[in-house]
Amino acid sequence: FGLADDTTFENITFETAGGSFLLVAQHHAVTVGKGVEMRNFDGSTLGKAFWVVGGFQWNFGGCAGPKYMSTSKATNVTVLSGNDMIVVGGARDFSTVNGVKSSNACTYGDVNVHIGGTAQVSTLYAGAYAAAYTTVGNVNAEIFGNATVGNIYGAYVHNTTASNVTLLWIGGEVGAFSMAQTNGVGLKTASGGTVALEATEDVQATANYEAVAAKFKTTSTHTHSHDNVVVTREATCIEDGEMTYFCTGCSDSFTEPIPATGEHTYKSEVTKEATCVEAGEMTYTCTGCGDSYTEAIPATGEHTYTSEVTKEATCVEAGEMTHTCSVCGDSYTEPTPATGEHTYTSEVTKDATCGKVGVKTYTCTVCGATKTEDIPFEYPYHQWLPTDTGYSCAVCNTTADTLSAPTAMRVESVTVENGTATVVLSLESSAPFSALRFKLHVPEGFTYASHVTTLGDVTEDVDPSTLTDLAFAYGTDAMAVVYIKGQDLASMPKTNFVTLTYTVADTFTAETATVALEMVEAINIDLDVLDVDGVGYVWSAPAHTHEYTSEVTKEATCGEDGVRTYTCTCGDSYTEAIPATGEHTFGEWVETTPAQPGVAGEETRTCTVCGATETRATDPLPEVPETYVAYEADVVETVTPKTTVYLAGDYSGITISGEYTLDVTGRYANREGAIVTDPIVAYTPVDGVKAIVRPTATTVVGSTKISASNSLEVQSSILLKFMVS
């Protein structure tokens, strides 16, 4: 698996079913820290390798694409524990670049490898592993602690070039060193580069040192310089600390204790809050040893009040706010000023009517103060409808015995017939007026179609300047009558001035409907508002005369009455009975009692409608001739030739011999207790041929066929055998 960032592994066990692990750092720093172990799932020794690759691995990116063709980024691999390890400082398994070999294909930065602790590394490939024509910076490897490294190779198989190669051997064991693993092909240095070994005196005294050192161009002695001093654990009041001294030239280090200080380091915490009347407590605890002591926190003397309205202020009376200490219960009150704002409820004390404002009265529920406001009227004029006793307003229900306005417009008539409605309006005035604007409210289902007026007709096609007298204008929102001469019309006798036509939808089925006339505006030339009455119309449908058509909805039969239904165009209907015909519809005659010799039979037919039946007798069968032969079952008998052989009884077969023509009839065969008549079947024997005749079957006798339609119709147990002797 590949790493996407710097990663450290500690205290982890890698388990496998027997394969190897491959960890590819991809130039991210990787550390195999303390407590890392490799083993099989059954707990046995791994037996395979745990590969740690500092650079790129083929198929993980790297030289497989232009993204990683060159980079100055170094690799950093640190291994401090683990078993069966194989460590590659640089790249692994690069043999081509985009499928083509070329020298110096990939260029990388320095390679840094640190192996120490208890790590068990079988092989270290310091520069690269099978990475053809790869160039890296300086290759630096360090072995320290108790690590064991079996073999150190500069590279494996392919040429890899490094600027310099340095092995710093501080501790642990190294088995062998070589720049190449096989065939002398491996890691080489650039021109002027060195292959150097730096080891401590302790390492130089080990038995294997000389063999390893012989492979290096130069060797030197490493002397520790522990000048990097770090406090790795602070001393406390009772516990020593630790000072670590790191060598500036390698990973070696040693520690020294820092004596306990004997001085507590206290951390304070309020363990009891002080209140207005009670002291609190501050606890001091030593962070090193847990020693602690407490100090009192003086009472604050400051109450913690919560506020509550204990009396609501009203429009005329002050309220009260009570403040109570949530700790000790101390309390005090203060007034809240009267709001001066009344709490009103409203009531309509005078309804608005057409042309007159109403009154709404507001009363304060606390102090009783009142105020009023006008309720505006929606309609400036009443919408009168005629009644039996006078008039009633369709909007506000105001009634009047008579109407007295000097100007009046009326709906004179409303007719509805054959999907069309006509409405006629009249106008009369005994006082001057200049213009009247009004709306006509027709029933739902009425749609305006056209109009005809006796006045000048204001339309889109008419030039208003050609109109010199009183004119009518139709609009979808409102209509108007206007005196064109620019002055008041002094008076007008009652005149039917317009007839409006509407189409009526099929959904309009009302028996009565209202056409209301809403007067919107009435003015003179000076724009004074005039008094005007608008009177609508209550339409009632004319009395209906039924016109019925008849239809037979149920046919009469021999034994049951039918029904004739009469339906009017209005939907009304009634029915009357059609008397039963008394004439049966009989089916075919069916034999119900077969005729017997000398005894008549019977047949019946049934009415297909009512099930009535009638019967009649059938002729008896002729008497059985005296000359007949009855054969019993399974009897084989030779008979004298006869012209006709009659079969009767219940039997399975007979054998007849002789050379003659024989007519066989089952005329008196017994089936299910009844005597039946069957046709005669002629049979002519053929020399040397035996014929078997079975009921309802076809029998082939040489070239002679006896068809099923001519087969003997006898009981299924009867088998007739004809044998030529």
PDB file of all heavy atoms in Angstrom, residues 199-220:
ATOM      1  N   ALA A 199      32.576   4.790  11.434  1.00  0.00           N
ATOM      2  CA  ALA A 199      32.166   3.883  12.506  1.00  0.00           C
ATOM      3  C   ALA A 199      32.793   4.311  13.819  1.00  0.00           C
ATOM      4  O   ALA A 199      33.885   4.910  13.856  1.00  0.00           O
ATOM      5  CB  ALA A 199      32.567   2.459  12.176  1.00  0.00           C
ATOM      6  N   THR A 200      32.091   3.967  14.902  1.00  0.00           N
ATOM      7  CA  THR A 200      32.635   4.260  16.236  1.00  0.00           C
ATOM      8  C   THR A 200      33.734   3.253  16.567  1.00  0.00           C
ATOM      9  O   THR A 200      33.877   2.209  15.922  1.00  0.00           O
ATOM     10  CB  THR A 200      31.525   4.191  17.291  1.00  0.00           C
ATOM     11  OG1 THR A 200      31.032   2.855  17.340  1.00  0.00           O
ATOM     12  CG2 THR A 200      30.386   5.153  16.953  1.00  0.00           C
ATOM     13  N   GLU A 201      34.507   3.560  17.592  1.00  0.00           N
ATOM     14  CA  GLU A 201      35.576   2.653  18.014  1.00  0.00           C
ATOM     15  C   GLU A 201      34.995   1.322  18.486  1.00  0.00           C
ATOM     16  O   GLU A 201      35.596   0.262  18.268  1.00  0.00           O
ATOM     17  CB  GLU A 201      36.406   3.292  19.127  1.00  0.00           C
ATOM     18  CG  GLU A 201      37.222   4.489  18.648  1.00  0.00           C
ATOM     19  CD  GLU A 201      38.032   5.116  19.779  1.00  0.00           C
ATOM     20  OE1 GLU A 201      37.795   4.715  20.943  1.00  0.00           O
ATOM     21  OE2 GLU A 201      38.886   5.978  19.499  1.00  0.00           O
ATOM     22  N   ASP A 202      33.815   1.366  19.112  1.00  0.00           N
ATOM     23  CA  ASP A 202      33.203   0.108  19.569  1.00  0.00           C
ATOM     24  C   ASP A 202      32.853  -0.770  18.379  1.00  0.00           C
ATOM     25  O   ASP A 202      33.036  -1.998  18.424  1.00  0.00           O
ATOM     26  CB  ASP A 202      31.938   0.403  20.386  1.00  0.00           C
ATOM     27  CG  ASP A 202      32.256   1.053  21.724  1.00  0.00           C
ATOM     28  OD1 ASP A 202      33.412   0.920  22.175  1.00  0.00           O
ATOM     29  OD2 ASP A 202      31.339   1.694  22.292  1.00  0.00           O
ATOM     30  N   VAL A 203      32.357  -0.183  17.331  1.00  0.00           N
ATOM     31  CA  VAL A 203      32.023  -0.965  16.148  1.00  0.00           C
ATOM     32  C   VAL A 203      33.288  -1.502  15.497  1.00  0.00           C
ATOM     33  O   VAL A 203      33.351  -2.652  15.037  1.00  0.00           O
ATOM     34  CB  VAL A 203      31.203  -0.113  15.159  1.00  0.00           C
ATOM     35  CG1 VAL A 203      31.073  -0.817  13.809  1.00  0.00           C
ATOM     36  CG2 VAL A 203      29.825   0.193  15.721  1.00  0.00           C
ATOM     37  N   GLN A 204      34.311  -0.679  15.435  1.00  0.00           N
ATOM     38  CA  GLN A 204      35.560  -1.100  14.809  1.00  0.00           C
ATOM     39  C   GLN A 204      36.186  -2.290  15.532  1.00  0.00           C
ATOM     40  O   GLN A 204      36.980  -3.030  14.946  1.00  0.00           O
ATOM     41  CB  GLN A 204      36.552   0.070  14.761  1.00  0.00           C
ATOM     42  CG  GLN A 204      36.107   1.181  13.824  1.00  0.00           C
ATOM     43  CD  GLN A 204      37.017   2.388  13.885  1.00  0.00           C
ATOM     44  OE1 GLN A 204      38.061   2.383  14.577  1.00  0.00           O
ATOM     45  NE2 GLN A 204      36.634   3.449  13.170  1.00  0.00           N
ATOM     46  N   ALA A 205      35.814  -2.487  16.796  1.00  0.00           N
ATOM     47  CA  ALA A 205      36.374  -3.607  17.562  1.00  0.00           C
ATOM     48  C   ALA A 205      35.605  -4.899  17.340  1.00  0.00           C
ATOM     49  O   ALA A 205      36.010  -5.956  17.847  1.00  0.00           O
ATOM     50  CB  ALA A 205      36.381  -3.257  19.051  1.00  0.00           C
ATOM     51  N   THR A 206      34.483  -4.846  16.567  1.00  0.00           N
ATOM     52  CA  THR A 206      33.705  -6.063  16.351  1.00  0.00           C
ATOM     53  C   THR A 206      34.365  -6.932  15.311  1.00  0.00           C
ATOM     54  O   THR A 206      35.157  -6.464  14.466  1.00  0.00           O
ATOM     55  CB  THR A 206      32.274  -5.724  15.905  1.00  0.00           C
ATOM     56  OG1 THR A 206      32.342  -4.994  14.670  1.00  0.00           O
ATOM     57  CG2 THR A 206      31.560  -4.900  16.947  1.00  0.00           C
ATOM     58  N   ALA A 207      34.035  -8.223  15.343  1.00  0.00           N
ATOM     59  CA  ALA A 207      34.717  -9.205  14.494  1.00  0.00           C
ATOM     60  C   ALA A 207      34.448  -8.977  13.016  1.00  0.00           C
ATOM     61  O   ALA A 207      35.308  -9.273  12.174  1.00  0.00           O
ATOM     62  CB  ALA A 207      34.274 -10.612  14.911  1.00  0.00           C
ATOM     63  N   ASN A 208      33.298  -8.454  12.649  1.00  0.00           N
ATOM     64  CA  ASN A 208      32.917  -8.365  11.234  1.00  0.00           C
ATOM     65  C   ASN A 208      33.277  -7.033  10.606  1.00  0.00           C
ATOM     66  O   ASN A 208      33.022  -6.804   9.434  1.00  0.00           O
ATOM     67  CB  ASN A 208      31.406  -8.615  11.107  1.00  0.00           C
ATOM     68  CG  ASN A 208      31.008  -9.028   9.708  1.00  0.00           C
ATOM     69  OD1 ASN A 208      31.720  -9.806   9.083  1.00  0.00           O
ATOM     70  ND2 ASN A 208      29.897  -8.496   9.217  1.00  0.00           N
ATOM     71  N   TYR A 209      33.839  -6.126  11.394  1.00  0.00           N
ATOM     72  CA  TYR A 209      34.080  -4.768  10.893  1.00  0.00           C
ATOM     73  C   TYR A 209      35.023  -4.763   9.702  1.00  0.00           C
ATOM     74  O   TYR A 209      34.770  -4.110   8.687  1.00  0.00           O
ATOM     75  CB  TYR A 209      34.616  -3.887  12.006  1.00  0.00           C
ATOM     76  CG  TYR A 209      35.065  -2.528  11.506  1.00  0.00           C
ATOM     77  CD1 TYR A 209      34.136  -1.547  11.158  1.00  0.00           C
ATOM     78  CD2 TYR A 209      36.429  -2.236  11.330  1.00  0.00           C
ATOM     79  CE1 TYR A 209      34.550  -0.317  10.669  1.00  0.00           C
ATOM     80  CE2 TYR A 209      36.841  -1.008  10.845  1.00  0.00           C
ATOM     81  CZ  TYR A 209      35.895  -0.051  10.517  1.00  0.00           C
ATOM     82  OH  TYR A 209      36.304   1.163  10.025  1.00  0.00           O
ATOM     83  N   GLU A 210      36.164  -5.465   9.803  1.00  0.00           N
ATOM     84  CA  GLU A 210      37.180  -5.400   8.758  1.00  0.00           C
ATOM     85  C   GLU A 210      36.625  -5.864   7.413  1.00  0.00           C
ATOM     86  O   GLU A 210      36.922  -5.287   6.369  1.00  0.00           O
ATOM     87  CB  GLU A 210      38.389  -6.260   9.162  1.00  0.00           C
ATOM     88  CG  GLU A 210      39.160  -5.715  10.349  1.00  0.00           C
ATOM     89  CD  GLU A 210      39.756  -4.328  10.087  1.00  0.00           C
ATOM     90  OE1 GLU A 210      39.999  -4.005   8.893  1.00  0.00           O
ATOM     91  OE2 GLU A 210      39.957  -3.568  11.043  1.00  0.00           O
ATOM     92  N   ALA A 211      35.809  -6.957   7.441  1.00  0.00           N
ATOM     93  CA  ALA A 211      35.259  -7.463   6.176  1.00  0.00           C
ATOM     94  C   ALA A 211      34.326  -6.454   5.534  1.00  0.00           C
ATOM     95  O   ALA A 211      34.288  -6.303   4.312  1.00  0.00           O
ATOM     96  CB  ALA A 211      34.514  -8.772   6.430  1.00  0.00           C
ATOM     97  N   VAL A 212      33.570  -5.758   6.359  1.00  0.00           N
ATOM     98  CA  VAL A 212      32.654  -4.738   5.822  1.00  0.00           C
ATOM     99  C   VAL A 212      33.436  -3.536   5.339  1.00  0.00           C
ATOM    100  O   VAL A 212      33.207  -2.991   4.252  1.00  0.00           O
ATOM    101  CB  VAL A 212      31.615  -4.340   6.886  1.00  0.00           C
ATOM    102  CG1 VAL A 212      30.776  -3.161   6.403  1.00  0.00           C
ATOM    103  CG2 VAL A 212      30.724  -5.520   7.237  1.00  0.00           C
ATOM    104  N   ALA A 213      34.428  -3.080   6.139  1.00  0.00           N
ATOM    105  CA  ALA A 213      35.180  -1.867   5.805  1.00  0.00           C
ATOM    106  C   ALA A 213      35.948  -2.020   4.514  1.00  0.00           C
ATOM    107  O   ALA A 213      36.223  -1.040   3.802  1.00  0.00           O
ATOM    108  CB  ALA A 213      36.119  -1.515   6.953  1.00  0.00           C
ATOM    109  N   ALA A 214      36.339  -3.257   4.167  1.00  0.00           N
ATOM    110  CA  ALA A 214      37.142  -3.472   2.968  1.00  0.00           C
ATOM    111  C   ALA A 214      36.398  -3.079   1.698  1.00  0.00           C
ATOM    112  O   ALA A 214      37.023  -2.899   0.651  1.00  0.00           O
ATOM    113  CB  ALA A 214      37.557  -4.942   2.913  1.00  0.00           C
ATOM    114  N   LYS A 215      35.095  -2.970   1.732  1.00  0.00           N
ATOM    115  CA  LYS A 215      34.300  -2.643   0.560  1.00  0.00           C
ATOM    116  C   LYS A 215      34.158  -1.151   0.320  1.00  0.00           C
ATOM    117  O   LYS A 215      33.564  -0.730  -0.670  1.00  0.00           O
ATOM    118  CB  LYS A 215      32.895  -3.258   0.689  1.00  0.00           C
ATOM    119  CG  LYS A 215      32.895  -4.777   0.828  1.00  0.00           C
ATOM    120  CD  LYS A 215      33.318  -5.446  -0.460  1.00  0.00           C
ATOM    121  CE  LYS A 215      33.197  -6.961  -0.353  1.00  0.00           C
ATOM    122  NZ  LYS A 215      33.561  -7.626  -1.631  1.00  0.00           N
ATOM    123  N   PHE A 216      34.688  -0.311   1.232  1.00  0.00           N
ATOM    124  CA  PHE A 216      34.541   1.136   1.135  1.00  0.00           C
ATOM    125  C   PHE A 216      35.817   1.770   0.626  1.00  0.00           C
ATOM    126  O   PHE A 216      36.936   1.278   0.882  1.00  0.00           O
ATOM    127  CB  PHE A 216      34.163   1.730   2.486  1.00  0.00           C
ATOM    128  CG  PHE A 216      32.752   1.414   2.907  1.00  0.00           C
ATOM    129  CD1 PHE A 216      32.471   0.236   3.590  1.00  0.00           C
ATOM    130  CD2 PHE A 216      31.723   2.278   2.586  1.00  0.00           C
ATOM    131  CE1 PHE A 216      31.178  -0.055   3.963  1.00  0.00           C
ATOM    132  CE2 PHE A 216      30.429   1.987   2.969  1.00  0.00           C
ATOM    133  CZ  PHE A 216      30.144   0.824   3.647  1.00  0.00           C
ATOM    134  N   LYS A 217      35.694   2.897  -0.063  1.00  0.00           N
ATOM    135  CA  LYS A 217      36.869   3.629  -0.539  1.00  0.00           C
ATOM    136  C   LYS A 217      37.587   4.298   0.616  1.00  0.00           C
ATOM    137  O   LYS A 217      38.815   4.344   0.647  1.00  0.00           O
ATOM    138  CB  LYS A 217      36.445   4.679  -1.567  1.00  0.00           C
ATOM    139  CG  LYS A 217      35.928   4.106  -2.880  1.00  0.00           C
ATOM    140  CD  LYS A 217      35.550   5.234  -3.835  1.00  0.00           C
ATOM    141  CE  LYS A 217      35.038   4.683  -5.155  1.00  0.00           C
ATOM    142  NZ  LYS A 217      34.658   5.772  -6.098  1.00  0.00           N
ATOM    143  N   THR A 218      36.812   4.857   1.554  1.00  0.00           N
ATOM    144  CA  THR A 218      37.427   5.527   2.708  1.00  0.00           C
ATOM    145  C   THR A 218      36.709   5.085   3.966  1.00  0.00           C
ATOM    146  O   THR A 218      35.512   4.753   3.944  1.00  0.00           O
ATOM    147  CB  THR A 218      37.322   7.053   2.586  1.00  0.00           C
ATOM    148  OG1 THR A 218      35.949   7.435   2.585  1.00  0.00           O
ATOM    149  CG2 THR A 218      37.997   7.553   1.315  1.00  0.00           C
ATOM    150  N   THR A 219      37.474   5.058   5.061  1.00  0.00           N
ATOM    151  CA  THR A 219      36.896   4.766   6.371  1.00  0.00           C
ATOM    152  C   THR A 219      37.361   5.807   7.353  1.00  0.00           C
ATOM    153  O   THR A 219      38.434   6.407   7.197  1.00  0.00           O
ATOM    154  CB  THR A 219      37.304   3.373   6.860  1.00  0.00           C
ATOM    155  OG1 THR A 219      38.721   3.330   6.991  1.00  0.00           O
ATOM    156  CG2 THR A 219      36.829   2.286   5.913  1.00  0.00           C
ATOM    157  N   SER A 220      36.531   6.049   8.381  1.00  0.00           N
ATOM    158  CA  SER A 220      36.906   7.013   9.424  1.00  0.00           C
ATOM    159  C   SER A 220      36.236   6.617  10.720  1.00  0.00           C
ATOM    160  O   SER A 220      35.325   5.773  10.746  1.00  0.00           O
ATOM    161  CB  SER A 220      36.493   8.429   9.014  1.00  0.00           C
ATOM    162  OG  SER A 220      35.082   8.507   8.847  1.00  0.00           O
TER     163      SER A 220
END
